[in-house]
């Protein structure tokens, strides 16, 4: 095996990324304290060609040096919008035909490995604060909650890690349906 060079990776330019068909998935971040986590989410959104990121509350917004440090330019390729609170973001998403799911441990949550969305279904996933998670008021506005199965003692993941896991699973299951790929 030989590691691929940067040329062999066929990376898109910002212009090519902007013109590319996007996955109809929007990540919503609610009151995230760490701008480094925000930057990581931008990189994940770029990797999976997400439609956008919605930033709410006191979450840092680009331009911000800590976002820039972890996003590595993805803050320029991925579309994003700011909303003063998650209520306004969810209202916007629902007006655009998105189903909205919080990523949170709640009664009757959907276990991530059992969630399957149609390839063209518009989905938004809300990720909450590093300590308190998604606000209860926000959860009540969602169409459901997705929970990442966890087997250890902690039962919590960093938001950047949780976003990577959830978004990849949503993208992976869509790829299986669209291309009949085995991943």
């Amino acid at each position: 095996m030989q590691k691929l060079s940067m040329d062999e990776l066929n990376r898109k330019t910002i212009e090519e990324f902007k013109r590319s068909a996007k996955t109809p998935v929007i990540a919503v971040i609610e009151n995230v304290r760490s701008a480094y986590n925000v930057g990581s989410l931008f990189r994940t959104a770029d990797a999976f060609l997400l439609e956008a990121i919605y930033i709410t509350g006191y979450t840092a917004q680009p331009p911000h040096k800590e976002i820039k440090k972890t996003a590595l330019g993805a803050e320029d390729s991925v579309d994003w919008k700011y909303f003063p609170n998650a209520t306004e973001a969810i209202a916007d998403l629902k007006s655009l035909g998105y189903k909205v799911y919080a990523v949170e441990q709640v009664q009757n949550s959907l276990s991530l490995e059992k969630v399957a969305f149609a390839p063209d279904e518009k989905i938004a996933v809300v990720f909450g604060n590093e300590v308190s998670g998604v606000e209860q008021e926000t959860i009540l506005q969602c169409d459901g909650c997705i929970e990442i199965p966890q087997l250890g003692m902690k039962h919590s993941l960093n938001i950047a890690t949780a976003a990577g896991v959830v978004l990849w699973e949503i993208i992976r299951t869509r790829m299986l349906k669209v291309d009949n790929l085995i991943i």
Side-chain angles (χ1 to χ4, degrees):
M1 285 186 267
Q2 178 66 35
K3 187 174 176 180
L4 295 175
S5 70
M6 292 306 267
D7 289 336
E8 292 170 316
L9 290 174
N10 295 320
R11 292 175 52 183
K12 294 180 186 324
T13 65
I14 289 177
E15 294 77 26
E16 290 169 332
F17 183 94
K18 293 282 189 187
R19 287 193 309 266
S20 296
K22 305 296 185 298
T23 306
V25 174
I26 293 179
V28 181
I29 43 181
E30 177 183 52
N31 296 325
V32 171
R33 295 178 309 166
S34 169
Y36 294 119
N37 281 333
V38 176
S40 292
L41 184 58
F42 269 95
R43 282 200 35 211
T44 301
D46 178 282
F48 300 144
L49 273 172
L50 296 193
E51 193 73 38
I53 294 174
Y54 280 15
I55 298 171
T56 72
Y58 57 74
T59 305
Q61 309 163 51
H64 189 287
K65 74 176 191 169
E66 291 171 356
I67 292 174
K68 191 173 214 45
K69 185 171 185 171
T70 51
L72 296 178
E75 75 280 15
D76 298 323
S77 60
V78 176
D79 289 339
W80 63 275
K81 282 185 181 180
Y82 173 76
F83 295 86
N85 55 62
T87 297
E88 291 181 34
I90 291 170
D92 185 71
L93 289 162
K94 289 190 174 191
S95 75
L96 296 171
Y98 282 81
K99 290 219 173 177
V100 181
Y101 295 86
V103 177
E104 192 57 81
Q105 297 164 330
V106 301
Q107 294 171 340
N108 301 315
S109 62
L110 305 168
S111 192
L112 179 60
E113 81 280 5
K114 295 178 183 168
V115 173
F117 300 112
D120 59 345
E121 191 173 358
K122 293 178 165 186
I123 301 298
V125 285
V126 182
F127 300 94
N129 176 275
E130 293 90 338
V131 175
S132 59
V134 178
E135 299 292 329
Q136 181 63 42
E137 179 180 330
T138 301
I139 290 168
L140 294 174
Q141 297 169 56
C142 292
D143 296 298
C145 289
I146 297 171
E147 184 172 344
I148 302 169
Q150 295 172 56
L151 309 175
M153 167 177 118
K154 292 295 179 194
H155 288 270
S156 69
L157 294 170
N158 175 280
I159 179 186
T161 302
V165 169
V166 170
L167 294 170
W168 168 244
E169 185 64 11
I170 291 171
I171 299 303
R172 185 189 72 77
T173 57
R174 286 170 180 236
M175 290 171 66
L176 288 170
K177 289 179 183 176
V178 171
D179 298 328
N180 208 15
L181 297 174
I182 297 175
I183 299 174

